[in-house]
Amino acid sequence: MVGTTSDDMCDGGRAGVTDYRIELASIEDVAALAAVERAAATLFPERLLPLHLRGETVAPEKLMAAQAAGMLWAAKDGDGKVLGFACVAMHGQVALLVELDVLPAYGKQGIGSALLAAVVAWGNARAIPTLYLTTFLEFAPSQALYRKFGFVTLGAAPDFLAAALRQETAAGLGERVAMRLTFPRNKVGK
């Protein structure tokens, strides 16, 4: 499901992990990501994410492509258990945060922020001008996380993102909005 996001600020942080790491996901990690996404979907109110959509996840072939391209990150505990993930796709010269999820039991521990920081560092290192995402307008935890990183809500989205928002609305997702983070461009010769 495009852009459905649960982050480290959501309720449910009971598991208490202190030794997690963020790394590029391995091919073996991909199998665990659908379960993370489905678990994270339980955090959203039904008016935003209807029950019949909670089992939908990012297609495995999209995750495999992102993994092969170095655009899929996993948060793992000391035993290698996947606690969360972030997935990015490119659209021309700009990037789209396709998904960012954390297992609810590991919420409120900074994992979502750490995943998003890894994505932002990746974008900065590659001089990508813009990172876009779609999210729920009225889900405060996601909004707080994205605003903390400098994302702004768009009044008008670029064509590819406007199409994604229309698809999300048609699928039954409630109150969706596009957001953008503009990266400073690398200055050549300065």
Side-chain angles (χ1 to χ4, degrees), residues 114-158:
L115 284 163
L116 190 51
V119 171
V120 169
W122 168 85
N124 273 321
R126 282 153 188 79
I128 292 170
T130 309
L131 174 63
Y132 291 100
L133 61 85
T134 62
T135 191
F136 293 109
L137 176 63
E138 293 186 19
F139 192 68
S142 294
Q143 289 290 325
L145 174 66
Y146 298 136
R147 292 194 191 291
K148 177 174 100 174
F149 278 83
F151 282 86
V152 295
T153 302
L154 300 176

Side-chain angles (χ1 to χ4, degrees), residues 23-70:
E23 61 189 37
L24 287 172
S26 69
I27 198 75
E28 293 80 18
D29 295 332
V30 172
L33 303 185
V36 172
E37 190 173 351
R38 282 197 278 306
T42 65
L43 296 172
F44 296 99
E46 188 175 345
R47 69 181 173 77
L48 298 179
L49 183 58
L51 294 176
H52 71 279
L53 295 176
R54 293 181 185 217
E56 292 187 20
T57 61
V58 176
E61 57 273 9
K62 285 187 179 183
L63 294 171
M64 299 285 273
Q67 187 278 330

Side-chain angles (χ1 to χ4, degrees), residues 39-128:
T42 65
L43 296 172
F44 296 99
E46 188 175 345
R47 69 181 173 77
L48 298 179
L49 183 58
L51 294 176
H52 71 279
L53 295 176
R54 293 181 185 217
E56 292 187 20
T57 61
V58 176
E61 57 273 9
K62 285 187 179 183
L63 294 171
M64 299 285 273
Q67 187 278 330
M71 297 186 295
L72 182 66
W73 294 263
K76 297 180 182 180
D77 69 9
D79 294 326
K81 175 183 175 181
V82 176
L83 308 176
F85 74 98
C87 179
V88 172
M90 293 299 297
H91 286 273
Q93 298 299 311
V94 300
L96 173 67
L97 179 63
V98 175
E99 194 73 32
L100 187 151
D101 290 305
V102 175
L103 288 170
Y106 296 91
K108 294 187 176 185
Q109 297 180 50
I111 296 171
S113 289
L115 284 163
L116 190 51
V119 171
V120 169
W122 168 85
N124 273 321
R126 282 153 188 79
I128 292 170

Side-chain angles (χ1 to χ4, degrees), residues 157-180:
D159 289 344
F160 81 92
L161 209 51
L165 287 168
R166 285 191 299 275
Q167 289 175 333
E168 292 170 2
T169 300
L173 297 178
E175 304 166 2
R176 301 293 285 174
V177 64
M179 298 184 84
R180 174 187 69 217

